[in-house]
Amino acid sequence: MQRLIRVTQQPMNGDELYLLAFSIYFISNSLAFTMFSYIIPSIVGTAVRAIVVGLIFFKVIEFDSFDDRTLLLYLSLIILSILVAYQSGNKDIFFMMVLILGAKEVPFRLIAKVYLFLGISIFVLTIVSAQLDVIKNLTFYRGSAARFALGTIYPTNLAATVFYLMICYCYLRNVALRLKEYLIMVIIVCVVYYLTGTRLNAIISVLLLLVMFIYQRYQKHESTKFELYVVRYSWLAMIIAFFSINWLSYIYTASNKIQKLIDHILSGRLELAHFALTNYPLTLFGRFIEQNGWGGLNGVNPSSSFRYFFIDSSFVRLTAMYGIVFSIVVIFGFTYITKKLSLQNEILIPLLLMVVAVSSTIDANLLEISLNPFLWIFFANVSDSETLNTKIIRE
C-alpha cells in the first residue's frame, strides 16, 4: 500500500498526460456514435473538449521542445484546422488537430494499446447496455432483412468499430499473429456481416487479413514477386485512392453502364459523391454541406420530409467539405510518413494504411478520432514500433 501511495504521488510525465487527455476525448467521442449520445447532456462534450485542450496545451508547454521550423508548422496547422472547422461546421477537426500535435514523441504503440483497451471496453459496454435497455437497441431494415445496431447509431458504425479494432489488434500483434487468431477474426467478420449486412466492410476486413498474411510472409523472406510489389508500393495507396474515387465520382453519369455497375457495387456511393462534387464547388478551406444520414432515431422513423443525402467516402468528404488545402495536407501527410517508414523497412503501418485507404474510398471514417488509430502517427514516435515484435520471428 505504501508503495502504491508513493507511485501515485509521482508527477505525471508528458506521455502519461497525453494519454490521459487522449483517453478522455476518445471515450467522449466514441460514446457520441452510440445511443448514449441521446442521454448524455451536450454540456458534457463541451466540458470534455475544454479539459482536453487544457491538458494538451500544458503537455506541449511543459514537456515538448521545438525549433523555429516545428513551431511554425504547429501554428500553421492549428490556424488551418480552425479555418476548416469554422468553414465546414465540424469543430472536431480542430480538436483532432490538437490531439495529433499533442502526440509529439509519445510512443505510438502505447497510444494504440490505450485505443484498443478503451475501444473494446466501450464496444462491450454499448452492446450490454443495449441488451439491458439502458440505451435504445435500434434495428434497421434493408427490404425484409433486419440489420442490428446493438447500441450504436447505425449498423455500419458497429461494423466500422469492429474493423478498426481488428486493424489495431493486428498492428499490436505484428508478426506474432497466429493461425487461431486469424480464424477468430474470420468468425468475427462473419458474425458482424450477419448482424449488420455490411457487405463492403466484410470484404475489406478479409483484405486486412490477407495483407497481414503478406506482411508475415515478407518478414519470413517468403514473398512472391506480386507480394513484394504490394509491400514496396503500399505507401502510394492514400494518394491513389484519393484521386481515383474523386475522379470516378466527378465523371459519374447514370447513363454509362460500367459506371452504373460500379455505383451499384458501391451501394450508390458514386451517385451521391457526384452530386456533392458537382453541386458544391471546391473551396480552399471547406464549406458546410447539410447531410441527412440514416443513423439514430431519425433513420428509424424518418419524417415525410426526410431526404437521404450523405457523403460516405472519406476522400470525397475531404475534397468537398474540408477544402483543397486541408486535403493536400492530409494526403501528403499520410503519404510522407508511409514513404518514410517504407524506406526504413518498417512496412506494417504502410500496409495497414493501404487497407485504411481502400476502406476510406467507401466509408467516412478516415478522420474519425474514435475509429482510425493511425491519426496519431504524424508526430508520435513510430520509429521503433515494429522492432518490438519483429525479433519474435527471427529468434
Side-chain angles (χ1 to χ4, degrees), residues 307-322:
R307 179 176 178 271
Y308 177 81
F309 172 62
F310 190 81
I311 306 171
D312 283 290
S313 170
S314 295
F315 296 128
V316 177
R317 292 175 75 84
L318 263 177
T319 306
M321 295 173 57
Y322 303 134

Side-chain angles (χ1 to χ4, degrees), residues 38 136 138-140 293-306:
Y38 284 84
K136 290 186 179 296
L138 303 181
T139 302
F140 298 79
W294 292 118
L297 297 176
N298 291 334
V300 175
N301 299 302
S303 64
S304 58
S305 60
F306 180 86

Side-chain angles (χ1 to χ4, degrees), residues 54-230:
L55 290 173
I56 295 295
F57 181 77
F58 181 78
K59 185 260 183 184
V60 169
I61 296 298
E62 184 69 18
F63 296 101
D64 294 342
S65 58
F66 305 90
D67 54 31
D68 292 341
R69 183 178 178 182
T70 304
L71 183 59
L72 179 62
L73 175 63
Y74 266 51
L75 291 175
S76 299
L77 290 174
I78 284 292
I79 292 171
L80 174 62
S81 69
I82 292 173
L83 283 172
V84 173
Y86 176 76
Q87 290 289 103
S88 66
N90 182 7
K91 54 183 174 293
D92 279 336
I93 293 294
F94 168 71
F95 297 103
M96 177 194 72
M97 187 64 72
V98 169
L99 284 167
I100 288 174
L101 299 179
K104 185 175 186 293
E105 295 305 321
V106 179
F108 176 67
R109 188 173 179 80
L110 195 56
I111 298 174
K113 287 181 178 180
V114 173
Y115 165 94
L116 187 63
F117 172 76
L118 292 177
I120 292 175
S121 300
I122 295 170
F123 182 70
V124 172
L125 173 66
T126 299
I127 293 177
V128 171
S129 297
Q131 299 307 308
L132 296 177
D133 291 327
V134 176
I135 57 176
K136 290 186 179 296
N137 188 2
L138 303 181
T139 302
F140 298 79
Y141 290 89
R142 180 184 290 160
S144 59
R147 305 174 67 202
F148 303 99
L150 300 182
T152 62
I153 60 173
Y154 196 62
T156 53
N157 290 92
L158 174 68
T161 299
V162 174
F163 169 70
Y164 276 103
L165 288 174
M166 283 174 54
I167 283 187
C168 189
Y169 181 80
C170 288
Y171 164 74
L172 290 171
R173 289 294 289 155
N174 204 298
V175 292
L177 200 65
R178 296 293 180 248
L179 177 60
K180 65 179 180 180
E181 293 167 283
Y182 278 103
L183 294 176
I184 291 172
M185 284 190 282
V186 168
I187 293 171
I188 291 173
V189 171
C190 293
V191 171
V192 170
Y193 175 68
Y194 173 77
L195 292 172
T196 64
T198 48
R199 170 177 48 87
L200 295 175
N201 182 274
I203 293 171
I204 295 173
S205 296
V206 172
L207 175 64
L208 167 65
L209 301 182
L210 291 175
V211 165
M212 284 303 298
F213 179 71
I214 290 173
Y215 171 71
Q216 291 187 317
R217 282 175 54 83
Y218 176 79
Q219 291 294 340
K220 297 176 183 178
H221 308 290
E222 297 175 353
S223 300
T224 64
K225 190 173 182 179
F226 170 75
E227 290 169 345
L228 285 175
Y229 275 117
V230 172

Side-chain angles (χ1 to χ4, degrees), residues 177-370:
L177 200 65
R178 296 293 180 248
L179 177 60
K180 65 179 180 180
E181 293 167 283
Y182 278 103
L183 294 176
I184 291 172
M185 284 190 282
V186 168
I187 293 171
I188 291 173
V189 171
C190 293
V191 171
V192 170
Y193 175 68
Y194 173 77
L195 292 172
T196 64
T198 48
R199 170 177 48 87
L200 295 175
N201 182 274
I203 293 171
I204 295 173
S205 296
V206 172
L207 175 64
L208 167 65
L209 301 182
L210 291 175
V211 165
M212 284 303 298
F213 179 71
I214 290 173
Y215 171 71
Q216 291 187 317
R217 282 175 54 83
Y218 176 79
Q219 291 294 340
K220 297 176 183 178
H221 308 290
E222 297 175 353
S223 300
T224 64
K225 190 173 182 179
F226 170 75
E227 290 169 345
L228 285 175
Y229 275 117
V230 172
V231 169
R232 288 172 183 169
Y233 299 108
S234 58
W235 63 273
L236 288 169
M238 279 287 174
I239 196 167
I240 292 174
F242 174 81
F243 283 107
S244 295
I245 193 63
N246 273 285
W247 177 71
L248 284 172
S249 300
Y250 185 75
I251 67 169
Y252 171 79
T253 174
S255 60
N256 186 298
K257 292 183 179 179
I258 296 177
Q259 293 178 6
K260 190 67 176 177
L261 175 62
I262 296 174
D263 184 52
H264 176 71
I265 294 172
L266 298 180
S267 303
R269 286 171 168 84
L270 280 186
E271 183 178 5
L272 292 170
H274 175 77
F275 179 86
L277 292 175
T278 54
N279 284 271
Y280 297 95
L282 299 185
T283 63
L284 286 176
F285 302 108
R287 64 163 67 242
F288 173 74
I289 299 178
E290 185 174 358
Q291 299 174 70
N292 295 303
W294 292 118
L297 297 176
N298 291 334
V300 175
N301 299 302
S303 64
S304 58
S305 60
F306 180 86
R307 179 176 178 271
Y308 177 81
F309 172 62
F310 190 81
I311 306 171
D312 283 290
S313 170
S314 295
F315 296 128
V316 177
R317 292 175 75 84
L318 263 177
T319 306
M321 295 173 57
Y322 303 134
I324 297 171
V325 176
F326 194 71
S327 297
I328 292 172
V329 169
V330 171
I331 300 304
F332 174 79
F334 275 119
T335 303
Y336 172 80
I337 194 69
T338 50
K339 173 66 171 176
K340 179 181 178 181
L341 290 171
S342 294
L343 291 174
Q344 296 170 352
N345 202 35
E346 296 184 6
I347 50 90
L348 180 55
I349 288 178
L351 283 172
L352 293 178
L353 276 172
M354 179 178 67
V355 180
V356 171
V358 175
S359 179
S360 297
T361 61
I362 61 166
D363 68 40
N365 303 320
L366 179 65
L367 300 183
E368 290 296 345
I369 294 170
S370 60

